[in-house]
Amino acid sequence: MNKEDYNVTEEIIRETPWDKRALGMETYELLDHSEEALNKSEKLEGHFTLKVDPLDSKELLHQYGFYYTDTLVTPVCDKQKFIPYEDEKLTLMFDVDREDIIAISKGAYEHGRFHRDFKLNRSGADQRYDNWLGQLYDQNKVWGLAYDGELAGFFAFSENQVLLQAFKPEYQGRGLSKYFWSQAVQILFDEGYDEVKTSISAANLAMMNLVTSLGFKFKGAVDIYHKLNA
């Protein structure tokens, strides 16, 4: 049964058009994991996302065909506990080319839940991040990260939340992230925010270590489950 034959109830299940554009299929998010909601997902074709507390029972999820893809943690940094790092060669760029930014993002999100979903094509997962980054760029919420005057990466955000960041391959593994993050996070604090937060896959140990070094503390976690009804 497709969505034209079935009434999608926003209180239980909602459409996710941003995922549909990238994956080329109907996409939904379940807003709870009651048996009623899980049963509704059986009657629709497409891809489903479900976010649950790590301590909740997953028995019903498995019975209805949902499979684990990721655990997201929420690091938060209070302004007074921020630990900055400085390097005079590193600067932020507020006027950067869109295509240069999109090019840097290619292949940068292997820890993402859509890339780890073995039932999806990687091209669709890549397109999802490209679409998201392009939208943030159009909203003037993407800064370039420059090393010695050359574009090395980018930092994307919305209000006080860091959403995406990546570096060109030649700048990776050089310990530059904490310096770029320091500058970007400091600007967000200077704009009046008392805290800065982000969301990180628990599998991304490099990012976990990075934010910890800057004074972020972990406040909450959520397990992500997917299902594909072909």
Side-chain angles (χ1 to χ4, degrees):
M1 183 178 293
N2 57 39
K3 70 175 184 177
E4 285 75 19
D5 303 315
Y6 192 78
N7 182 29
V8 176
T9 305
E10 281 287 336
E11 291 79 11
I12 295 177
I13 183 172
R14 66 174 181 175
E15 297 179 61
T16 54
W18 49 91
D19 291 336
K20 177 180 178 179
R21 287 194 294 271
L23 302 182
M25 66 179 76
E26 300 298 335
T27 59
Y28 306 91
E29 180 179 3
L30 267 67
L31 302 181
D32 69 53
H33 58 290
S34 64
E35 188 156 15
E36 178 187 6
L38 295 169
N39 186 57
K40 286 181 181 296
S41 74
E42 289 286 277
K43 298 176 173 63
L44 290 166
E45 294 180 357
H47 188 270
F48 297 81
T49 292
L50 176 59
K51 302 176 182 179
V52 297
D53 189 295
L55 299 180
D56 287 351
S57 172
K58 311 302 192 303
E59 181 178 2
L60 270 179
L61 277 61
H62 289 287
Q63 290 180 13
Y64 280 88
F66 281 83
Y67 49 91
Y68 173 83
T69 57
D70 200 4
T71 296
L72 297 179
V73 296
T74 304
V76 178
C77 185
D78 295 328
K79 184 176 182 178
Q80 302 304 320
K81 297 180 179 179
F82 176 51
I83 304 171
Y85 295 85
E86 296 183 4
D87 186 322
E88 62 183 13
K89 291 186 177 181
L90 308 179
T91 57
L92 297 182
M93 303 171 66
F94 302 106
D95 184 14
V96 290
D97 183 79
R98 179 193 182 101
E99 294 307 313
D100 288 343
I101 294 296
I102 297 295
I104 294 172
S105 76
K106 299 295 185 183
Y109 305 111
E110 62 182 13
H111 293 97
R113 61 188 175 94
F114 284 88
H115 285 89
R116 295 169 62 187
D117 188 331
F118 57 91
K119 294 190 177 182
L120 294 177
N121 292 327
R122 187 178 182 89
S123 60
D126 288 338
Q127 188 61 52
R128 181 179 185 271
Y129 282 102
D130 288 350
N131 292 350
W132 189 12
L133 181 58
Q135 181 181 9
L136 291 169
Y137 180 92
D138 292 341
Q139 296 170 352
N140 296 315
K141 295 178 179 179
V142 178
W143 297 334
L145 307 175
Y147 179 79
D148 209 12
E150 297 293 329
L151 180 65
F154 68 84
F155 185 95
F157 63 96
S158 180
E159 298 182 343
N160 68 328
Q161 184 164 8
V162 182
L163 297 175
L164 298 169
Q165 67 92 44
F167 289 94
K168 292 180 178 179
E170 60 266 34
Y171 293 97
Q172 296 174 11
R174 297 170 59 175
L176 300 177
S177 295
K178 64 183 179 182
Y179 300 103
F180 282 129
W181 271 67
S182 289
Q183 291 196 30
V185 170
Q186 185 62 61
I187 290 177
L188 295 179
F189 283 136
D190 291 345
E191 290 182 350
Y193 295 109
D194 292 325
E195 67 176 26
V196 172
K197 58 185 178 179
T198 189
S199 180
I200 298 173
S201 168
N204 193 345
L205 297 182
M207 285 300 302
M208 299 274 278
N209 289 330
L210 168 64
V211 296
T212 299
S213 72
L214 296 172
F216 283 73
K217 302 297 183 182
F218 299 103
K219 296 184 178 180
V222 62
D223 284 344
I224 310 295
Y225 279 73
H226 286 179
K227 181 172 76 164
L228 179 62
N229 288 344

